[in-house]
Amino acid sequence: MKILTVIVRLFVGLMYLFASIVVLFHLVKQPEMHGNAKLFMDGIMATGYFMTLLKVTELVCGIAFVTGRFVPLATVVIFPITLNILLYHVFVAPEGLPVAIPLMIGNLFLAFACRKNYKTLLAARIA
């Protein structure tokens, strides 16, 4: 189980590192979007800050996963982003599902592997 956790942690971390570095440093030309995908991305870009915040969060969490430091925290912080990636590809751009599904499974697996760290976080009352 420990080896599998390391493999999944590295896989998820490298995916987020790659995705954030490519966008933050404009290393690859972004593909032309159409329809609802274009509308969605235009809305995000119109805010002026959200894409940068998103990619910096992915970068920091990716570094945490790759280094193995603060993994329980990174798992919680990145989960809403992973969920949004999955839902975006389910409802807007299904061609990205082969990446989104393993990313969500990896995030859920890491949350399960770190479940003992969340015991106090999920307590109904203050101890």
Side-chain angles (χ1 to χ4, degrees), residues 42-55:
D42 286 348
I44 285 178
M45 298 310 282
T47 65
Y49 75 93
F50 190 74
M51 185 58 80
T52 304
L53 174 66
L54 184 71
K55 292 303 174 180

mmCIF file with all atom_site columns, all heavy atoms in Angstrom, residues 42-55:
data_model
loop_
_atom_site.group_PDB
_atom_site.id
_atom_site.type_symbol
_atom_site.label_atom_id
_atom_site.label_alt_id
_atom_site.label_comp_id
_atom_site.label_asym_id
_atom_site.label_entity_id
_atom_site.label_seq_id
_atom_site.pdbx_PDB_ins_code
_atom_site.Cartn_x
_atom_site.Cartn_y
_atom_site.Cartn_z
_atom_site.occupancy
_atom_site.B_iso_or_equiv
_atom_site.pdbx_formal_charge
_atom_site.auth_seq_id
_atom_site.auth_comp_id
_atom_site.auth_asym_id
_atom_site.auth_atom_id
_atom_site.pdbx_PDB_model_num
ATOM 1   N N   . ASP A 1 42 ? -13.438 31.958 -21.515 1.00 0.00 ? 42 ASP A N   1
ATOM 2   C CA  . ASP A 1 42 ? -13.512 33.420 -21.617 1.00 0.00 ? 42 ASP A CA  1
ATOM 3   C C   . ASP A 1 42 ? -13.966 34.034 -20.298 1.00 0.00 ? 42 ASP A C   1
ATOM 4   O O   . ASP A 1 42 ? -13.456 35.080 -19.880 1.00 0.00 ? 42 ASP A O   1
ATOM 5   C CB  . ASP A 1 42 ? -14.463 33.840 -22.744 1.00 0.00 ? 42 ASP A CB  1
ATOM 6   C CG  . ASP A 1 42 ? -13.880 33.616 -24.130 1.00 0.00 ? 42 ASP A CG  1
ATOM 7   O OD1 . ASP A 1 42 ? -12.655 33.360 -24.231 1.00 0.00 ? 42 ASP A OD1 1
ATOM 8   O OD2 . ASP A 1 42 ? -14.658 33.674 -25.107 1.00 0.00 ? 42 ASP A OD2 1
ATOM 9   N N   . GLY A 1 43 ? -14.911 33.386 -19.631 1.00 0.00 ? 43 GLY A N   1
ATOM 10  C CA  . GLY A 1 43 ? -15.369 33.864 -18.326 1.00 0.00 ? 43 GLY A CA  1
ATOM 11  C C   . GLY A 1 43 ? -14.267 33.815 -17.279 1.00 0.00 ? 43 GLY A C   1
ATOM 12  O O   . GLY A 1 43 ? -14.100 34.756 -16.500 1.00 0.00 ? 43 GLY A O   1
ATOM 13  N N   . ILE A 1 44 ? -13.522 32.723 -17.257 1.00 0.00 ? 44 ILE A N   1
ATOM 14  C CA  . ILE A 1 44 ? -12.412 32.612 -16.303 1.00 0.00 ? 44 ILE A CA  1
ATOM 15  C C   . ILE A 1 44 ? -11.340 33.657 -16.592 1.00 0.00 ? 44 ILE A C   1
ATOM 16  O O   . ILE A 1 44 ? -10.832 34.314 -15.687 1.00 0.00 ? 44 ILE A O   1
ATOM 17  C CB  . ILE A 1 44 ? -11.819 31.187 -16.330 1.00 0.00 ? 44 ILE A CB  1
ATOM 18  C CG1 . ILE A 1 44 ? -12.774 30.234 -15.616 1.00 0.00 ? 44 ILE A CG1 1
ATOM 19  C CG2 . ILE A 1 44 ? -10.437 31.144 -15.685 1.00 0.00 ? 44 ILE A CG2 1
ATOM 20  C CD1 . ILE A 1 44 ? -12.330 28.802 -15.605 1.00 0.00 ? 44 ILE A CD1 1
ATOM 21  N N   . MET A 1 45 ? -11.009 33.832 -17.853 1.00 0.00 ? 45 MET A N   1
ATOM 22  C CA  . MET A 1 45 ? -9.974  34.796 -18.224 1.00 0.00 ? 45 MET A CA  1
ATOM 23  C C   . MET A 1 45 ? -10.440 36.237 -17.971 1.00 0.00 ? 45 MET A C   1
ATOM 24  O O   . MET A 1 45 ? -9.627  37.113 -17.682 1.00 0.00 ? 45 MET A O   1
ATOM 25  C CB  . MET A 1 45 ? -9.569  34.614 -19.687 1.00 0.00 ? 45 MET A CB  1
ATOM 26  C CG  . MET A 1 45 ? -8.958  33.243 -19.980 1.00 0.00 ? 45 MET A CG  1
ATOM 27  S SD  . MET A 1 45 ? -7.653  32.749 -18.850 1.00 0.00 ? 45 MET A SD  1
ATOM 28  C CE  . MET A 1 45 ? -6.299  33.691 -19.489 1.00 0.00 ? 45 MET A CE  1
ATOM 29  N N   . ALA A 1 46 ? -11.742 36.491 -18.069 1.00 0.00 ? 46 ALA A N   1
ATOM 30  C CA  . ALA A 1 46 ? -12.271 37.842 -17.866 1.00 0.00 ? 46 ALA A CA  1
ATOM 31  C C   . ALA A 1 46 ? -12.083 38.325 -16.430 1.00 0.00 ? 46 ALA A C   1
ATOM 32  O O   . ALA A 1 46 ? -12.028 39.532 -16.193 1.00 0.00 ? 46 ALA A O   1
ATOM 33  C CB  . ALA A 1 46 ? -13.749 37.890 -18.247 1.00 0.00 ? 46 ALA A CB  1
ATOM 34  N N   . THR A 1 47 ? -11.973 37.407 -15.481 1.00 0.00 ? 47 THR A N   1
ATOM 35  C CA  . THR A 1 47 ? -11.784 37.827 -14.091 1.00 0.00 ? 47 THR A CA  1
ATOM 36  C C   . THR A 1 47 ? -10.435 38.511 -13.897 1.00 0.00 ? 47 THR A C   1
ATOM 37  O O   . THR A 1 47 ? -10.292 39.348 -13.028 1.00 0.00 ? 47 THR A O   1
ATOM 38  C CB  . THR A 1 47 ? -11.873 36.634 -13.125 1.00 0.00 ? 47 THR A CB  1
ATOM 39  O OG1 . THR A 1 47 ? -10.779 35.742 -13.383 1.00 0.00 ? 47 THR A OG1 1
ATOM 40  C CG2 . THR A 1 47 ? -13.194 35.915 -13.245 1.00 0.00 ? 47 THR A CG2 1
ATOM 41  N N   . GLY A 1 48 ? -9.462  38.109 -14.689 1.00 0.00 ? 48 GLY A N   1
ATOM 42  C CA  . GLY A 1 48 ? -8.137  38.713 -14.596 1.00 0.00 ? 48 GLY A CA  1
ATOM 43  C C   . GLY A 1 48 ? -7.220  38.085 -13.558 1.00 0.00 ? 48 GLY A C   1
ATOM 44  O O   . GLY A 1 48 ? -6.026  38.334 -13.561 1.00 0.00 ? 48 GLY A O   1
ATOM 45  N N   . TYR A 1 49 ? -7.759  37.303 -12.653 1.00 0.00 ? 49 TYR A N   1
ATOM 46  C CA  . TYR A 1 49 ? -6.938  36.722 -11.599 1.00 0.00 ? 49 TYR A CA  1
ATOM 47  C C   . TYR A 1 49 ? -7.129  35.215 -11.436 1.00 0.00 ? 49 TYR A C   1
ATOM 48  O O   . TYR A 1 49 ? -6.236  34.524 -10.935 1.00 0.00 ? 49 TYR A O   1
ATOM 49  C CB  . TYR A 1 49 ? -7.249  37.384 -10.250 1.00 0.00 ? 49 TYR A CB  1
ATOM 50  C CG  . TYR A 1 49 ? -8.564  36.924 -9.660  1.00 0.00 ? 49 TYR A CG  1
ATOM 51  C CD1 . TYR A 1 49 ? -8.605  35.857 -8.764  1.00 0.00 ? 49 TYR A CD1 1
ATOM 52  C CD2 . TYR A 1 49 ? -9.759  37.523 -10.019 1.00 0.00 ? 49 TYR A CD2 1
ATOM 53  C CE1 . TYR A 1 49 ? -9.807  35.408 -8.249  1.00 0.00 ? 49 TYR A CE1 1
ATOM 54  C CE2 . TYR A 1 49 ? -10.958 37.084 -9.511  1.00 0.00 ? 49 TYR A CE2 1
ATOM 55  C CZ  . TYR A 1 49 ? -10.985 36.034 -8.621  1.00 0.00 ? 49 TYR A CZ  1
ATOM 56  O OH  . TYR A 1 49 ? -12.171 35.583 -8.117  1.00 0.00 ? 49 TYR A OH  1
ATOM 57  N N   . PHE A 1 50 ? -8.291  34.698 -11.813 1.00 0.00 ? 50 PHE A N   1
ATOM 58  C CA  . PHE A 1 50 ? -8.645  33.342 -11.422 1.00 0.00 ? 50 PHE A CA  1
ATOM 59  C C   . PHE A 1 50 ? -7.732  32.274 -12.010 1.00 0.00 ? 50 PHE A C   1
ATOM 60  O O   . PHE A 1 50 ? -7.354  31.332 -11.310 1.00 0.00 ? 50 PHE A O   1
ATOM 61  C CB  . PHE A 1 50 ? -10.109 33.041 -11.759 1.00 0.00 ? 50 PHE A CB  1
ATOM 62  C CG  . PHE A 1 50 ? -10.573 31.747 -11.161 1.00 0.00 ? 50 PHE A CG  1
ATOM 63  C CD1 . PHE A 1 50 ? -10.815 31.646 -9.806  1.00 0.00 ? 50 PHE A CD1 1
ATOM 64  C CD2 . PHE A 1 50 ? -10.731 30.621 -11.946 1.00 0.00 ? 50 PHE A CD2 1
ATOM 65  C CE1 . PHE A 1 50 ? -11.216 30.445 -9.244  1.00 0.00 ? 50 PHE A CE1 1
ATOM 66  C CE2 . PHE A 1 50 ? -11.136 29.425 -11.391 1.00 0.00 ? 50 PHE A CE2 1
ATOM 67  C CZ  . PHE A 1 50 ? -11.386 29.336 -10.038 1.00 0.00 ? 50 PHE A CZ  1
ATOM 68  N N   . MET A 1 51 ? -7.372  32.404 -13.282 1.00 0.00 ? 51 MET A N   1
ATOM 69  C CA  . MET A 1 51 ? -6.519  31.380 -13.894 1.00 0.00 ? 51 MET A CA  1
ATOM 70  C C   . MET A 1 51 ? -5.151  31.347 -13.212 1.00 0.00 ? 51 MET A C   1
ATOM 71  O O   . MET A 1 51 ? -4.597  30.280 -12.961 1.00 0.00 ? 51 MET A O   1
ATOM 72  C CB  . MET A 1 51 ? -6.378  31.612 -15.402 1.00 0.00 ? 51 MET A CB  1
ATOM 73  C CG  . MET A 1 51 ? -5.597  30.520 -16.105 1.00 0.00 ? 51 MET A CG  1
ATOM 74  S SD  . MET A 1 51 ? -6.280  28.853 -15.922 1.00 0.00 ? 51 MET A SD  1
ATOM 75  C CE  . MET A 1 51 ? -7.567  28.882 -17.113 1.00 0.00 ? 51 MET A CE  1
ATOM 76  N N   . THR A 1 52 ? -4.617  32.512 -12.898 1.00 0.00 ? 52 THR A N   1
ATOM 77  C CA  . THR A 1 52 ? -3.326  32.556 -12.202 1.00 0.00 ? 52 THR A CA  1
ATOM 78  C C   . THR A 1 52 ? -3.434  31.919 -10.825 1.00 0.00 ? 52 THR A C   1
ATOM 79  O O   . THR A 1 52 ? -2.576  31.116 -10.436 1.00 0.00 ? 52 THR A O   1
ATOM 80  C CB  . THR A 1 52 ? -2.830  34.010 -12.085 1.00 0.00 ? 52 THR A CB  1
ATOM 81  O OG1 . THR A 1 52 ? -2.766  34.575 -13.392 1.00 0.00 ? 52 THR A OG1 1
ATOM 82  C CG2 . THR A 1 52 ? -1.469  34.075 -11.429 1.00 0.00 ? 52 THR A CG2 1
ATOM 83  N N   . LEU A 1 53 ? -4.485  32.257 -10.081 1.00 0.00 ? 53 LEU A N   1
ATOM 84  C CA  . LEU A 1 53 ? -4.699  31.656 -8.765  1.00 0.00 ? 53 LEU A CA  1
ATOM 85  C C   . LEU A 1 53 ? -4.825  30.144 -8.868  1.00 0.00 ? 53 LEU A C   1
ATOM 86  O O   . LEU A 1 53 ? -4.224  29.393 -8.089  1.00 0.00 ? 53 LEU A O   1
ATOM 87  C CB  . LEU A 1 53 ? -5.962  32.241 -8.118  1.00 0.00 ? 53 LEU A CB  1
ATOM 88  C CG  . LEU A 1 53 ? -6.402  31.605 -6.797  1.00 0.00 ? 53 LEU A CG  1
ATOM 89  C CD1 . LEU A 1 53 ? -5.383  31.875 -5.707  1.00 0.00 ? 53 LEU A CD1 1
ATOM 90  C CD2 . LEU A 1 53 ? -7.771  32.123 -6.402  1.00 0.00 ? 53 LEU A CD2 1
ATOM 91  N N   . LEU A 1 54 ? -5.576  29.684 -9.838  1.00 0.00 ? 54 LEU A N   1
ATOM 92  C CA  . LEU A 1 54 ? -5.780  28.258 -10.060 1.00 0.00 ? 54 LEU A CA  1
ATOM 93  C C   . LEU A 1 54 ? -4.459  27.547 -10.352 1.00 0.00 ? 54 LEU A C   1
ATOM 94  O O   . LEU A 1 54 ? -4.137  26.518 -9.743  1.00 0.00 ? 54 LEU A O   1
ATOM 95  C CB  . LEU A 1 54 ? -6.756  28.068 -11.213 1.00 0.00 ? 54 LEU A CB  1
ATOM 96  C CG  . LEU A 1 54 ? -7.184  26.660 -11.568 1.00 0.00 ? 54 LEU A CG  1
ATOM 97  C CD1 . LEU A 1 54 ? -8.091  26.120 -10.485 1.00 0.00 ? 54 LEU A CD1 1
ATOM 98  C CD2 . LEU A 1 54 ? -7.906  26.677 -12.895 1.00 0.00 ? 54 LEU A CD2 1
ATOM 99  N N   . LYS A 1 55 ? -3.677  28.105 -11.247 1.00 0.00 ? 55 LYS A N   1
ATOM 100 C CA  . LYS A 1 55 ? -2.434  27.452 -11.652 1.00 0.00 ? 55 LYS A CA  1
ATOM 101 C C   . LYS A 1 55 ? -1.363  27.537 -10.570 1.00 0.00 ? 55 LYS A C   1
ATOM 102 O O   . LYS A 1 55 ? -0.556  26.612 -10.415 1.00 0.00 ? 55 LYS A O   1
ATOM 103 C CB  . LYS A 1 55 ? -1.925  28.034 -12.971 1.00 0.00 ? 55 LYS A CB  1
ATOM 104 C CG  . LYS A 1 55 ? -2.836  27.691 -14.149 1.00 0.00 ? 55 LYS A CG  1
ATOM 105 C CD  . LYS A 1 55 ? -2.995  26.184 -14.282 1.00 0.00 ? 55 LYS A CD  1
ATOM 106 C CE  . LYS A 1 55 ? -4.004  25.788 -15.337 1.00 0.00 ? 55 LYS A CE  1
ATOM 107 N NZ  . LYS A 1 55 ? -4.142  24.350 -15.463 1.00 0.00 ? 55 LYS A NZ  1
#
